[in-house]
Amino acid sequence: MNHFELFNLPVALDIDLATLKANFLKLQQQYHPDKAENKDQALIKSSEINQAYKVLSQVDSRAGYLLTLKKQDYHLDQSINDFEFLQSALEIREQLDEAQSSEQLSSLKTEVQQWINGLVREFKIDYEAEDWAESRDTVRKLRFFQKVMNDIHQAEDRILDDEDFDLDDEF
Protein backbone atom coordinates (compact mmCIF):
# COMPACT_ATOMS: atom_id res chain seq x y z
CA MET A 1 0.00 0.00 0.00
CA ASN A 2 1.42 3.37 -0.97
CA HIS A 3 1.12 6.58 1.06
CA PHE A 4 -1.76 7.92 -1.01
CA GLU A 5 -3.77 4.72 -0.57
CA LEU A 6 -3.05 4.73 3.17
CA PHE A 7 -4.84 8.08 3.46
CA ASN A 8 -7.46 7.27 0.82
CA LEU A 9 -6.20 10.02 -1.49
CA PRO A 10 -5.70 10.15 -5.27
CA VAL A 11 -2.14 9.55 -6.48
CA ALA A 12 -1.49 13.14 -7.52
CA LEU A 13 0.56 16.20 -6.68
CA ASP A 14 -2.57 18.17 -5.82
CA ILE A 15 -4.24 16.67 -2.79
CA ASP A 16 -6.66 18.03 -0.24
CA LEU A 17 -4.42 18.78 2.75
CA ALA A 18 -7.42 19.00 5.10
CA THR A 19 -8.48 15.48 4.09
CA LEU A 20 -4.90 14.29 4.53
CA LYS A 21 -4.78 15.70 8.05
CA ALA A 22 -8.22 14.34 9.00
CA ASN A 23 -7.33 10.86 7.73
CA PHE A 24 -3.96 11.06 9.47
CA LEU A 25 -5.59 11.86 12.80
CA LYS A 26 -8.14 9.10 12.33
CA LEU A 27 -5.43 6.54 11.56
CA GLN A 28 -3.26 7.72 14.44
CA GLN A 29 -6.16 7.27 16.80
CA GLN A 30 -6.92 3.84 15.36
CA TYR A 31 -3.32 2.62 15.63
CA HIS A 32 -2.26 4.43 18.78
CA PRO A 33 0.05 2.09 20.76
CA ASP A 34 -1.73 2.84 24.05
CA LYS A 35 -5.02 1.54 22.64
CA ALA A 36 -3.67 -1.52 20.84
CA GLU A 37 -3.51 -5.11 22.02
CA ASN A 38 -0.25 -5.64 20.14
CA LYS A 39 1.72 -2.54 21.12
CA ASP A 40 4.80 -3.42 19.04
CA GLN A 41 2.74 -3.83 15.88
CA ALA A 42 0.81 -0.64 16.63
CA LEU A 43 4.05 1.26 17.18
CA ILE A 44 5.35 0.14 13.78
CA LYS A 45 2.08 1.06 12.08
CA SER A 46 1.97 4.43 13.86
CA SER A 47 5.51 5.16 12.70
CA GLU A 48 4.56 4.27 9.11
CA ILE A 49 1.55 6.59 9.32
CA ASN A 50 3.73 9.44 10.64
CA GLN A 51 6.30 8.96 7.88
CA ALA A 52 3.63 8.83 5.16
CA TYR A 53 1.98 11.97 6.52
CA LYS A 54 5.31 13.81 6.62
CA VAL A 55 6.00 12.89 2.98
CA LEU A 56 2.57 13.86 1.67
CA SER A 57 2.17 17.05 3.69
CA GLN A 58 4.88 18.98 1.78
CA VAL A 59 4.68 19.54 -1.98
CA ASP A 60 8.39 18.91 -2.60
CA SER A 61 8.45 15.55 -0.81
CA ARG A 62 5.10 14.62 -2.38
CA ALA A 63 6.55 15.29 -5.85
CA GLY A 64 9.60 13.21 -4.98
CA TYR A 65 7.35 10.41 -3.75
CA LEU A 66 5.41 10.46 -7.02
CA LEU A 67 8.73 9.88 -8.77
CA THR A 68 9.47 7.04 -6.33
CA LEU A 69 6.20 5.37 -7.29
CA LYS A 70 7.30 5.55 -10.94
CA LYS A 71 10.79 4.29 -9.98
CA GLN A 72 12.23 7.57 -11.24
CA ASP A 73 13.56 9.00 -7.98
CA TYR A 74 17.26 8.34 -8.49
CA HIS A 75 19.80 11.17 -8.32
CA LEU A 76 17.42 13.52 -6.52
CA ASP A 77 20.31 14.46 -4.26
CA GLN A 78 22.42 15.70 -7.18
CA SER A 79 23.20 19.38 -7.34
CA ILE A 80 21.29 21.76 -9.59
CA ASN A 81 23.11 22.73 -12.79
CA ASP A 82 20.82 25.54 -13.93
CA PHE A 83 23.02 28.67 -13.70
CA GLU A 84 20.15 31.18 -13.90
CA PHE A 85 18.25 29.31 -11.20
CA LEU A 86 21.34 29.22 -8.99
CA GLN A 87 21.81 32.98 -9.41
CA SER A 88 18.20 33.62 -8.41
CA ALA A 89 18.50 31.20 -5.50
CA LEU A 90 21.63 32.96 -4.25
CA GLU A 91 19.89 36.35 -4.43
CA ILE A 92 16.92 35.06 -2.45
CA ARG A 93 19.21 33.53 0.17
CA GLU A 94 21.02 36.86 0.49
CA GLN A 95 17.70 38.69 0.89
CA LEU A 96 16.74 36.27 3.65
CA ASP A 97 20.08 36.73 5.41
CA GLU A 98 19.69 40.52 5.25
CA ALA A 99 16.00 40.67 6.22
CA GLN A 100 15.48 42.73 9.37
CA SER A 101 11.72 43.15 9.52
CA SER A 102 8.46 41.26 9.21
CA GLU A 103 7.64 43.29 6.11
CA GLN A 104 10.84 42.21 4.36
CA LEU A 105 10.18 38.58 5.26
CA SER A 106 6.58 38.84 4.09
CA SER A 107 7.70 40.20 0.72
CA LEU A 108 10.30 37.45 0.42
CA LYS A 109 7.73 34.83 1.38
CA THR A 110 5.48 36.02 -1.44
CA GLU A 111 8.34 35.78 -3.92
CA VAL A 112 9.32 32.28 -2.74
CA GLN A 113 5.69 31.12 -2.91
CA GLN A 114 5.52 32.36 -6.50
CA TRP A 115 8.62 30.29 -7.28
CA ILE A 116 7.07 27.24 -5.63
CA ASN A 117 3.81 27.71 -7.54
CA GLY A 118 5.70 27.98 -10.83
CA LEU A 119 7.75 24.88 -10.06
CA VAL A 120 4.61 22.94 -9.14
CA ARG A 121 3.12 23.84 -12.54
CA GLU A 122 6.38 22.82 -14.23
CA PHE A 123 6.48 19.50 -12.35
CA LYS A 124 2.92 18.64 -13.35
CA ILE A 125 3.74 19.23 -17.03
CA ASP A 126 6.99 17.24 -16.87
CA TYR A 127 5.41 14.41 -14.86
CA GLU A 128 2.43 14.14 -17.20
CA ALA A 129 4.82 14.05 -20.18
CA GLU A 130 6.93 11.44 -18.38
CA ASP A 131 9.95 13.70 -18.76
CA TRP A 132 11.68 12.17 -15.77
CA ALA A 133 14.95 14.11 -16.01
CA GLU A 134 13.08 17.43 -15.94
CA SER A 135 10.76 16.14 -13.21
CA ARG A 136 13.76 15.24 -11.04
CA ASP A 137 15.35 18.64 -11.70
CA THR A 138 12.13 20.38 -10.71
CA VAL A 139 11.91 18.35 -7.48
CA ARG A 140 15.46 19.47 -6.61
CA LYS A 141 14.40 23.10 -7.13
CA LEU A 142 11.20 22.60 -5.14
CA ARG A 143 13.23 21.18 -2.27
CA PHE A 144 15.46 24.23 -2.30
CA PHE A 145 12.54 26.65 -2.15
CA GLN A 146 10.69 24.61 0.47
CA LYS A 147 13.82 24.84 2.64
CA VAL A 148 13.96 28.61 2.06
CA MET A 149 10.27 28.87 3.03
CA ASN A 150 10.95 26.93 6.24
CA ASP A 151 13.88 29.26 6.97
CA ILE A 152 11.61 32.28 6.40
CA HIS A 153 9.15 30.90 8.94
CA GLN A 154 11.98 30.48 11.45
CA ALA A 155 13.18 34.02 10.79
CA GLU A 156 9.62 35.32 11.30
CA ASP A 157 9.44 33.50 14.62
CA ARG A 158 12.75 35.03 15.71
CA ILE A 159 11.63 38.53 14.72
CA LEU A 160 8.31 38.07 16.54
CA ASP A 161 10.14 36.83 19.61
CA ASP A 162 12.46 39.85 19.47
CA GLU A 163 9.49 42.22 19.11
CA ASP A 164 7.76 40.59 22.07
CA PHE A 165 10.86 40.84 24.23
CA ASP A 166 11.50 44.30 25.58
CA LEU A 167 14.28 44.91 28.10
CA ASP A 168 12.16 47.64 29.68
CA ASP A 169 9.43 45.17 30.61
CA GLU A 170 8.98 44.80 34.33
CA PHE A 171 9.22 41.30 35.66
Side-chain angles (χ1 to χ4, degrees):
M1 173 180 293
N2 71 44
H3 295 347
F4 293 99
E5 292 168 344
L6 177 64
F7 294 111
N8 198 26
L9 293 168
V11 178
L13 189 62
D14 292 329
I15 60 171
D16 182 348
L17 293 176
T19 300
L20 171 65
K21 186 170 186 175
N23 291 348
F24 166 73
L25 294 173
K26 193 183 315 176
L27 286 170
Q28 276 296 41
Q29 189 174 36
Q30 182 180 346
Y31 291 101
H32 195 281
D34 291 342
K35 297 180 179 179
E37 290 179 21
N38 184 338
K39 292 195 185 302
D40 290 339
Q41 195 66 21
L43 194 57
I44 291 168
K45 187 68 173 177
S46 180
S47 178
E48 290 171 2
I49 293 165
N50 283 335
Q51 180 60 28
Y53 179 75
K54 183 178 177 184
V55 167
L56 295 184
S57 65
Q58 297 292 325
V59 71
D60 62 318
S61 56
R62 192 165 54 246
Y65 186 68
L66 285 169
L67 291 177
T68 298
L69 292 177
K70 294 287 188 179
K71 299 186 180 357
Q72 296 295 327
D73 61 336
Y74 48 90
H75 304 303
L76 285 178
D77 57 346
Q78 278 185 339
S79 59
I80 298 168
N81 295 321
D82 180 339
F83 182 73
E84 288 180 27
F85 174 83
L86 292 172
Q87 274 188 309
S88 297
L90 183 61
E91 289 172 14
I92 287 173
R93 270 279 166 213
E94 287 174 354
Q95 288 176 30
L96 176 56
D97 291 342
E98 295 169 1
Q100 303 273 327
S101 69
S102 298
E103 294 78 21
Q104 289 171 322
L105 289 174
S106 178
S107 173
L108 188 56
K109 189 192 301 188
T110 299
E111 183 178 351
V112 169
Q113 190 59 57
Q114 288 171 345
W115 268 99
I116 290 171
N117 294 345
L119 289 167
V120 164
R121 285 189 298 273
E122 191 175 317
F123 178 83
K124 288 178 188 176
I125 292 166
D126 296 337
Y127 184 82
E128 185 69 30
E130 296 185 359
D131 186 343
W132 304 127
E134 286 298 318
S135 295
R136 285 188 294 272
D137 193 48
T138 303
V139 168
R140 289 183 201 103
K141 293 173 182 178
L142 270 170
R143 286 180 173 172
F144 170 81
F145 277 111
Q146 190 62 54
K147 171 85 172 93
V148 171
M149 188 63 86
N150 293 342
D151 291 347
I152 290 171
H153 292 301
Q154 288 179 353
E156 286 176 324
D157 290 344
R158 277 194 304 276
I159 286 177
L160 285 175
D161 287 345
D162 289 347
E163 289 173 357
D164 289 343
F165 182 75
D166 186 351
L167 290 177
D168 295 334
D169 285 348
E170 292 182 26
F171 291 95

